[in-house]
Amino acid sequence: MEPFLPKRVFFEPKALDYSLGRRLYDFFRQKDIEVRMTASHNRVTGIPGKTASEGYREAKETLVVGVRKNGSFATCKPSAHYQLPLATSCPGMCEYCYLATTLGKKPYLRVYVNIEEILDQAQAYINERAPEITVFEGSATSDPIPTEYLTGALKRTIEFFGRQELGRFRFVTKYSQVESLLDAQHNGHTRFRFSLNAATIIDRYEHRTASMAERVEAAAKVARAGYPLGFIVAPIFVYPGWEEDYQAMFSALDAQLPLDARKGVTFEFISHRFTTRAKANVLDIFPHTTLPLNEETRKFKFGQFGYGKYVYTAEVMQAIKTFMQRQVAAYFPAAKTEYFV
Ligand code: SF4
């Protein structure tokens, strides 16, 4: 994949007080990319787009370079204690993006130049919870890989946690540009996870992300670099031929992943589901979507926050679960399945 290059970049004036901010400013000016200033990274105006779909596309080509204010980190239960805000959004256009509802109609990308201050805040949380281990999630607001070549924030974070006895880090990506992270001193304290799906699903719905083959190849490199490794298989769809397609995904992993790196690998399985609000968003941004969003073929399940979601029926869920369990047992007998939903 080509590295992400935005069409336009906004800078908060304060970002230029940091060496990373100045370096990025010079970098984009030299590339002849449109550079503008913005008073706040939270309220950026001037991104073009007449329709929701156009606005979305343009926002995904807009980068904002800002300073993250010293505030508290959001909690991230149940998988981690806190979110670690390294960046916001990503250049991908997955039709079922898990951030779509929170980022709204103009999900422009944001990177923060005050990484050291963000890590200082993480340190304070770790100290506060000592002697307990504190876990941070690095992809609650973004996919942190596409902007990594610009900021180096992820590598610094991985090395920060490499030095922490009581801090652990995890993140997930749909991208494959992992080279700069392979020699990071991670000390086994970062779980590097890849979001995977059947190749047909990735090709059809995960626009502008790495292909399945690229992600599997990147995962093998990460495994060889000694990182704890994990896979989120999501969202899982049932359609004619789904078993063959997901079987091919496991075969690709089997062909690439060194045997000695499979112990301790984690799997998370999430079947496809949608809320009424998410469906409306998808149809706004991708009016010609072929995503299966027919409520009549699903079961309605009340969620814990008062809104419900449409999930596969119990019978279909059981079929997916049995299938995935068999794959894990066959190819990754020493892996841990964290959950299936
Ligand atoms: S890669 Fe992740 S964050 Fe980016 S659009 Fe796809 S689902 Fe959303």
Side-chain angles (χ1 to χ4, degrees):
M1 277 195 86
E2 289 297 310
F4 162 68
L5 258 193
K7 256 196 202 168
R8 63 190 76 77
V9 186
F10 290 84
F11 280 81
E12 270 183 351
K14 278 204 184 111
L16 300 177
D17 294 343
Y18 292 78
S19 59
L20 174 58
R22 288 192 297 276
R23 185 163 63 69
L24 289 175
Y25 186 85
D26 293 341
F27 175 82
F28 290 119
R29 292 297 293 259
Q30 273 163 20
K31 290 259 177 218
D32 241 357
I33 288 171
E34 182 190 347
V35 169
R36 288 193 241 166
M37 302 308 281
T38 179
S40 159
H41 66 254
N42 290 318
R43 283 186 309 278
V44 174
T45 51
I47 301 173
K50 288 193 195 79
T51 61
S53 174
E54 266 176 39
Y56 187 87
R57 193 169 287 270
E58 292 292 338
K60 287 281 186 170
E61 294 189 299
T62 304
L63 177 68
V64 180
V65 180
V67 177
R68 193 181 188 274
K69 303 232 167 31
N70 213 356
S72 49
F73 291 175
T75 54
C76 195
K77 287 187 174 136
S79 57
H81 296 100
Y82 295 104
Q83 300 183 1
L84 186 62
L86 292 176
T88 303
S89 191
C90 92
M93 304 233 328
C94 304
E95 296 188 22
Y96 37 64
C97 176
Y98 66 109
L99 301 177
T101 331
T102 47
L103 292 180
K105 296 278 157 60
K106 291 205 169 170
Y108 54 85
L109 284 80
R110 283 174 253 183
V111 292
Y112 308 110
V113 291
N114 55 332
I115 296 156
E116 294 309 327
E117 289 162 19
I118 296 171
L119 294 176
D120 284 348
Q121 173 85 53
Q123 182 74 61
Y125 281 118
I126 293 170
N127 295 346
E128 204 176 285
R129 284 182 35 86
E132 300 292 319
I133 298 244
T134 306
V135 184
F136 294 82
E137 167 63 59
S139 38
T141 54
S142 71
D143 189 310
I145 293 272
T147 50
E148 173 61 9
Y149 87 100
L150 295 168
T151 66
L154 195 51
K155 186 170 190 182
R156 273 158 87 174
T157 303
I158 290 169
E159 296 201 324
F160 166 83
F161 281 98
R163 296 188 296 274
Q164 298 295 323
E165 262 187 49
L166 300 174
R168 296 292 180 272
F169 183 50
R170 66 208 301 271
F171 67 93
V172 62
T173 185
K174 285 184 165 73
Y175 288 84
S176 57
Q177 294 99 331
V178 298
E179 265 71 16
S180 69
L181 305 170
L182 298 179
D183 66 352
Q185 301 297 306
H186 58 77
N187 213 8
H189 292 179
T190 290
R191 185 166 295 275
F192 204 132
R193 289 135 72 225
F194 287 86
S195 168
L196 274 186
N197 216 315
T200 336
I201 299 296
I202 291 179
D203 296 347
R204 194 175 297 159
Y205 300 119
E206 299 189 358
H207 316 291
R208 300 192 194 165
T209 65
S211 67
M212 185 197 68
E214 287 170 324
R215 293 183 210 176
V216 170
E217 203 185 316
K221 289 181 192 164
V222 163
R224 283 194 288 272
Y227 279 94
L229 184 65
F231 297 103
I232 301 190
V233 184
I236 303 166
F237 290 96
V238 167
Y239 54 93
W242 69 277
E243 285 157 304
E244 288 77 14
D245 288 355
Y246 284 100
Q247 159 76 49
M249 183 194 83
F250 278 99
S251 298
L253 283 174
D254 186 43
Q256 296 261 356
L257 281 188
L259 278 176
D260 59 358
R262 298 187 196 189
K263 192 162 172 262
V265 166
T266 56
F267 280 94
E268 296 157 75
F269 294 106
I270 307 175
S271 59
H272 180 244
R273 67 255 337 276
F274 60 91
T275 60
T276 303
R277 186 163 164 218
K279 176 176 173 175
N281 266 345
V282 173
L283 293 175
D284 232 9
I285 299 163
F286 302 99
H288 306 295
T289 188
T290 58
L291 273 175
L293 296 169
N294 180 357
E295 293 85 351
E296 280 157 30
T297 61
R298 298 293 176 96
K299 187 180 119 181
F300 184 76
K301 197 175 162 195
F302 280 102
Q304 53 176 324
F305 304 112
Y307 59 86
K309 53 196 165 197
Y310 293 92
V311 301
Y312 279 116
T313 60
E315 201 184 5
V316 175
M317 287 285 237
Q318 190 52 51
I320 304 175
K321 191 172 180 182
T322 308
F323 176 84
M324 294 299 167
Q325 279 170 340
R326 284 200 187 124
Q327 301 299 313
V328 173
Y331 296 115
F332 293 88
K336 180 176 177 218
T337 295
E338 301 264 18
Y339 57 84
F340 173 91
V341 290

